[in-house]
Amino acid sequence: MPALLRLAVLADLPVLAPLFDDYRQFYNYPADLELATRFLRERLGRGESTVFLAVDETTGEAIGFTQLYPTFCSTSAAPLLVLYDLYVAPAGRGRGIGRRLMERAHEFGRQNGFKRVMLQTAHTNTTAQALYESMGYRLDSDFRVYELPL
């Protein structure tokens, strides 16, 4: 089943917020759809983050997302992106959705002059670690932070 990747907008909150809430629960936070909706509304409404949404083309169901935050690296004196959230719902797993969302984030970064993408994940999230490392991210030797030069 093919998936469409697109930039999320405020009108996507009804389908994006439940995914975001599921993502938070994956990391052992309590379910709170109101909080998830409010948080995303603020980020998107203020232009503080960029979210790419994966939608199943057959069912129209939202099946994944990634959220990016722009920031700067003082030591390299360059803008960088923090890929803070990547989540694929169980219905979308095993279809390359996570990789496609990552690739879209890289493309966005290159197009907008960012020099690097950084991310972190839980020590126990070995599935995500394998994906990141297969895409060229390097594990920092002091912290579990990955980066990919763009």
Side-chain angles (χ1 to χ4, degrees):
M1 294 178 234
L4 171 71
L5 270 54
R6 62 179 173 77
L7 188 65
V9 296
L10 283 171
D12 291 314
L13 283 176
V15 295
L16 179 58
L19 273 179
F20 185 68
D21 195 43
D22 289 348
Y23 164 79
R24 292 181 68 256
Q25 291 173 60
F26 177 82
Y27 282 106
N28 299 313
Y29 285 86
D32 191 335
L33 185 57
E34 182 181 323
L35 173 70
T37 303
R38 183 176 59 250
F39 183 83
L40 289 170
R41 180 181 298 114
E42 290 172 359
R43 299 296 72 74
L44 294 174
R46 295 175 185 165
E48 295 172 340
S49 72
T50 299
V51 177
F52 291 103
L53 183 63
V55 178
D56 186 300
E57 290 186 271
T58 304
T59 65
E61 177 185 5
I63 53 174
F65 75 95
T66 189
Q67 182 163 213
L68 309 164
Y69 296 101
T71 191
F72 299 91
C73 177
S74 298
T75 54
S76 64
L80 61 90
L81 278 176
V82 176
L83 192 154
Y84 206 91
D85 310 311
L86 175 67
Y87 181 73
V88 178
R93 293 182 186 155
R95 297 169 38 190
I97 305 296
R99 180 175 295 275
R100 288 187 54 213
L101 285 164
M102 297 282 297
E103 290 168 347
R104 182 64 187 96
H106 301 161
E107 179 184 338
F108 172 81
R110 287 184 193 99
Q111 290 171 343
N112 290 281
F114 292 94
K115 302 303 179 196
R116 187 172 55 210
V117 176
M118 295 183 69
L119 60 85
Q120 60 186 9
T121 192
H123 291 285
T124 57
N125 194 349
T126 56
T127 301
Q129 292 167 31
L131 171 62
Y132 304 149
E133 291 171 8
S134 78
M135 298 183 79
Y137 284 79
R138 297 183 314 260
L139 178 62
D140 182 286
S141 60
D142 294 322
F143 304 96
R144 193 164 293 259
V145 176
Y146 295 80
E147 64 181 50
L148 176 71
L150 297 177

